[in-house]
Every structure is written in structure tokens, then in C-alpha cells.
Amino acid sequence: MIRLIFLTNIITFSFVSFAEGQSASPSVSLPVASYTPQPVYRPEWAKQGLSGKGVLLVTIDPKTGTVAGVRMLQSTGNSLLDGAALDAYSKWRFKPGSVPQVKMPIEFTNRPGRQISAQAAKPLPASYYLLILIGVLVVVATIVKRMRR
């Protein structure tokens, strides 16, 4: 029974490691931000009801991790908001050795405490949840078998 649990855990972690290890280019990693100042959303902009969503293209120097350039791919619809986003993202720093460019979504809203959503959350693949479910089911089945003895 212990061997079964051990074997199941090894198989589960092997699949998770395999899923995490797949990438388009093994020598270049996804960008990891080490310094992330957020865009300024001024109180007067909230009073004016300024809001908008946009997308920036951040160019990264792979050797140093500094931002070499930033431009708006999709404007927020307001030059003040675009300027604040460009200014903030030009100051970001990344771990060296990452991809040379990354698209960054940005959202300005006039709700206090929730002005900016600088990065979209990266959802986990369905395979993670499936593997966790399989692991839980094996553990429950093992416990039920032991209780019947």
C-alpha cells in the first residue's frame, strides 16, 4: 500500500515536472520582474472619471534585464493614462536572460484601491488540477482499503 502511494506520487510529480519543463526555447526563460513600480493614477483623474484598458510592448535587454523601450500597442484611450503607463513600465527591471519582449496589459479604473491591474494572472493548465484530483483519489482509496481491513 505504501509502495502504491509512493509510486502514485512519483508519477504525479513526473507529469507536473514534464508540464512545467516544456517551453518554446529552452535557453530563454519567461520574464521575471524584480522591480515593478505601478503607474500613478492621480486623484483628479478619478474625479474626471478617466479609465481605460490598454496593452504595452515592453522591450527588455536580455543581458541586463533593464527595459530598453516601451510603446503602446493598444491605447487606453487617454493620453494621460498612456503616459503614466509608459513612464512606470519604462522603470521596470527583469531578471537577466529572459525573453526580449513582453506584452503587458494595463487597466485604469476610478475605483479606489483597485486602480490598476498591471498583470493578468496566469491560469494553471487543466492538467495540474487533474493530477491533483488523481492524487487525492488515490490517497482516499488507500485510506478506505486500510479501514476495511
Side-chain angles (χ1 to χ4, degrees):
M1 217 38 74
I2 292 175
R3 282 189 231 162
L4 178 64
I5 292 172
F6 182 70
L7 181 62
T8 303
N9 284 336
I10 288 176
I11 292 170
T12 301
F13 289 120
S14 297
F15 281 120
V16 170
S17 297
F18 177 73
E20 287 178 350
Q22 293 180 343
S23 65
S25 176
S27 62
V28 179
S29 63
L30 292 176
V32 176
S34 58
Y35 178 66
T36 59
Q38 297 301 304
V40 174
Y41 185 76
R42 302 193 182 281
E44 59 266 22
W45 297 348
K47 290 177 186 174
Q48 295 172 16
L50 297 183
S51 63
K53 294 180 181 181
V55 179
L56 296 103
L57 180 66
V58 179
T59 303
I60 305 165
D61 180 349
K63 293 180 182 176
T64 64
T66 58
V67 173
V70 182
R71 68 181 178 99
M72 295 300 295
L73 289 179
Q74 177 185 343
S75 173
T76 61
N78 184 286
S79 62
L80 295 172
L81 300 179
D82 288 352
L86 290 167
D87 182 54
Y89 280 92
S90 67
K91 297 174 185 169
W92 277 43
R93 299 291 176 262
F94 295 87
K95 180 181 173 187
S98 67
V99 294
Q101 290 186 327
V102 63
K103 291 180 183 178
M104 303 291 287
I106 181 106
E107 179 179 358
F108 289 93
T109 64
N110 60 2
R111 291 175 284 179
R114 297 194 62 196
Q115 289 102 348
I116 301 161
S117 173
Q119 291 179 305
K122 181 181 175 184
L124 293 174
S127 60
Y128 283 105
Y129 299 111
L130 180 62
L131 292 173
I132 290 170
L133 178 63
I134 290 170
V136 168
L137 291 174
V138 168
V139 169
V140 168
T142 304
I143 292 170
V144 168
K145 283 184 182 179
R146 289 190 135 218
M147 292 177 84
R148 289 187 180 174
R149 286 185 184 181

